[in-house]
Amino acid sequence: MWSLLRLVSLRHVFGAPLRSLLTLIGVAVGVATLVGIAAINRSVMDAFRSTIDTVAGKADLTVAAETSGFPEELLETVRAVPGVLHASGGLSVVAPVKDSPGESMYVMGVDLLDDGFFRTYEGVDTDVGKLADDLEFLNSTDRILVSERYAKEKGLKTGGTIELITPEGAKPFIIHGLLKETGPLKAFGGSVAVMFFGSLQEAFARGRTLTRIDVAIDPRVGLEAMKDRLQKVVGSSIEVDSPDRRGAAVQTMVRSFQLGLNLGSGVALLVGVFLVYNTVSISVVQRRREIGTLRALGATRRRIRALFALEAGVFGLVGSLLGLPLGILVGKAAIGSVSNSISEIYVKVNTHSVQLGVPEMVMGLTLGVLGSVFAALRPSWIASAVQPVEALRKDAAIGAGAVEVKSWPTYLGVFLLAIVWPTTQIPPPLENLPLGGYAAIFFILMGVTLLSPLVLRTLNVPFARPGELLFGISGRLAADNFARAPVRTAVPVSALSIGVAMAVTLSSFIGSFQASTDRWIEQAVPADLFVTSSAKLAGTQNQSMQASLQKEIEAVPNVDLVDPVRLMAHDVLGLRIYVISLSSDIYRSRGNPLILEGSLPDAAQRASGQVVISENFARRRDLKVGSTFPIKTPTGEHTYTVGAVIIDYTSDQGSVIVDRELFVKQFNSDLVDTFHVYVKDLGALDQTRAAITSKLSGRFNAYVLSNAELRQEARKLVGGAFAITYAMEIVAVALALLGIINTLLAAVLDRTREIGLLRAVGADRRQIIKLFAGEAFFIGLTGSLFGVVTGGVVGYIVTKIVGVQATGWNFPFSYPWGTAVQMVVIATCAAIIAGLYPARRAASLDVVEALAYE
Amino acid sequence: MIQVANVSKVYRRGKNEVRALDDVTLTVPRGQFLSVMGSSGSGKSTLLNLLGALDVPTSGTLKIDGREISRFPDDELSRFRRDRLGFIFQFFNLLPTLTAIENVILPELLAGKSRDELEPKARALLEQFGLTGRDTHRPDELSGGQMQRVAIARALLSEPALLLADEPTGNLDSKTGGEVLRLIREATRARNLTVVMVTHDAHAAEVGDRIVRLADGRVVGDDPVRVAA
């Protein structure tokens, strides 16, 4: 077998070097994309997990209320529990760095004496052991320790200061000493500071609360028993768990985002594998006589099949091996964008390095090789059906490949399209994992691919006239040629249509989403100005502000009303949702929330615990008007009743809107994330904005956004989240163009005699160029038209099924006409350009040799 | 009509030099039907390619209609082939996707003429060649003889000055071959067309006015065909 591969196949590979190279590029880029994205996803999750691990240290159990905190007295209660050997409390905040937008520091407040039990702190210029008695460190609210690496990067020294944004505004923090980059200081790329917890509470207006107590237990009691004991003592509103279980909510949250990226990269590989299919099909057609000869000489059918499958496998292997190093480049290029998106939307991750691990390499090689062999199944089956007698035929069916209507590809194609709808109805096996929807998309793409030859062979008729008008008689012939070997032409057409379809799909989803958020902000969030302390959007990267700022803003001329809005990430019913607190009266009178069910609660209902929840939270947890659910708060677990279900796009996990009065009471916090400002005279908006900005600028990295700007930011956030996926679909389209070159190069070979004839009867080189450019034009046009139609269907499924399962949001689908037209024009033009090289090759054929060509 | 003077054509195949034509001189007057005979490798196809402006000689001059075609640039050669020459091939070389009538008008379409103007003329030619009702058939629906007649019609449609035929009966049985030859003979005589036909079939060669024999790239015989007694 190997000798056959070496003797027969490899010679063909080297005999058509350009075609082989294009195929290898296809596989390599496909594998690189897949592997690069997988590596990014793992690096991000690894970074996140290692952050949790390094921050968590060696605790056996952690008592935590990460988002809302609990009174510090609980620490003594926990210490008193029998079986607790050691307990250390702390809290942490993410503090934006003044005048460096987007940069923030993870500040840990700990009792160094206690905490040394769980975490290692090693001083560079400070004796950590003595800090517990260092009154300057303990008594001032502005002393921090930072890592040696961070200090070096920022050019900071002991005694120097760094300005961080606190709820009360920016404050200078004095670097009391440097710590070695060990233990928790390795987290977040070293942007970590350590303070005495009492100082942190003071500096960041956290009252006397902690967010975490680490516990070491008596092993004789056992983990489960201790967990039960502690849970009883701290009450149901606070989680008691082992540190490795923490972060699970975040992983669930990020799952659908990462799955989307993985599938996007899968499409690139799919298109890459199409090139293998293309090449092997071409090879089978062109080597018919050789196959017949091999059969005549005694090669069995199985052997022929194995030969072609092996050939494809070699392409797959070499391509994948080239793809792996390329994958690192893909990873490096995209990691920044991905980690930014995750940081903006979900949770702070700080990873800018990406390594190719063994799992990615194994996956890349396996999928690259198996995908290629799979792609060769059909052509090698066709090869094995070649009869020995064909060795003797001189004109052995060059370029043919008839389309049988009643054949298994047709049946399979129809079957796949038929099961699309039932497949979409399969419920997701895991939260945020819309597997059925994704499978349905794959079925659509495959079904269309299998059925496309049937359509293509009929297209010479509608294409003949336009072809002739555009390119003269060459165009007419191009239309004929296009439809003449539909099985072969279908490959680049399908590859192109998959790339275009996915681009249109994404565009339709993004567009529909953006249109809906636009409408939502306009109607339900109608304030004129939005004031935040340190990020354009309230959320993971923004520091909360103290409530007293409200008075200052109200004092600005032209300000009519100020609504202090809190957006607090909080775990409710196992989801990390946003608890939004706002002034219900302003919300009722000024906003026009898009209510799906129920009505906004009045003052009495609010006092009794009626809240408004978002559509996606309702859908995820099956809540309706009248349903009740618990939320853990610093003042204990409270039960809330759903008064209304509304459209709200604050978080893809869900949101609960609680009246501010109730929130302040139950969550023990009056901090504010965004001030919604309503002005009296819109004409003077700019002056008002300038006045607010100047009032805050010294103290915060303040942003004062207009309603239109807020909408713009929301659009950007959505667009940014999908930027990498979109880029990957463009890569897929580019790979499909390689397929066009590949196919047309083969067509030049197959039709050499015809080209010779045309030249002999008087066609000039331009007419030959037009002939092939015309065929490329038809491939591009058909592929992109198939793509925009398929993309519409897939976009609908993504918006209405995958999106609903992954986000809980059900927003109206809108077809992206602009993108569709753009894709058709660009893809068709690009196809013509791709066709120019084969066309020039055809035009430069020697007429005499071409005529003598067999 | 045709003046070939001291023409040689040398091909390089790797390290070997193949002298396909060696100092050939030949004149063909207008209206003559010249048969070129020779075994394979004698240079007859090379001569035909040179006459058909598909290739250029290594040395010597080649004039058709008094014009030195070996100096034409590529575009002009294309135009020359389109306007002045007709080709008939052994394997017919019809385009499989085109109908009979479309194949006939193809060279004129390439020249940019309109279909409406060409079709009546082409249909008349096909009828004349016994292909009535076959004009919308595709090549795979025609017999070998029919395909060759379509090819002849294609060669004649543009009213060329010179018809070049490369083994036109090589792929046909002897009866059909005879009919095709008769057709070429009659159609060209009626139009006073110059014909150069390459063949290795002595019978076929005798349909012409004159037979030139080639061997190893040289002219080894040049005789008029005696009218059969």
Side-chain angles (χ1 to χ4, degrees), chain A residues 359-435:
Chain A
E360 288 92 46
M361 291 199 229
V362 170
M363 181 190 69
L365 283 177
T366 312
L367 288 179
V369 174
L370 288 186
S372 301
V373 172
F374 179 75
L377 283 186
R378 188 173 180 209
S380 50
W381 198 269
I382 293 171
S384 71
V386 172
Q387 297 295 329
V389 68
E390 295 197 45
L392 310 172
R393 278 175 46 192
K394 222 176 169 186
D395 56 342
I398 292 264
V403 193
E404 293 288 336
V405 177
K406 290 180 183 172
S407 64
W408 67 264
T410 312
Y411 297 132
L412 184 60
V414 170
F415 172 75
L416 287 177
L417 291 184
I419 60 170
V420 163
W421 187 250
T423 310
T424 59
Q425 301 303 306
I426 299 171
L430 280 172
E431 180 117 43
N432 288 350
L433 191 73
L435 221 52

Side-chain angles (χ1 to χ4, degrees), chain B residues 207-222:
Chain B
V207 85
D209 305 315
R210 172 184 169 196
I211 300 177
V212 164
R213 279 169 225 278
L214 291 181
D216 298 328
R218 289 170 171 277
V219 178
V220 294
D222 189 347

Side-chain angles (χ1 to χ4, degrees), chain A residues 40 327-338 354 724:
Chain A
I40 288 177
I328 301 178
L329 295 182
V330 171
K332 288 207 164 123
I335 182 94
S337 164
V338 172
V354 54
I724 292 294

Side-chain angles (χ1 to χ4, degrees), chain A residues 111 162 260 341 387 480 597 625 646 751:
Chain A
D111 180 338
I162 175 168
S341 283
Q387 297 295 329
D480 284 342
E597 205 187 318
V625 169
I646 61 157
R751 301 197 199 117

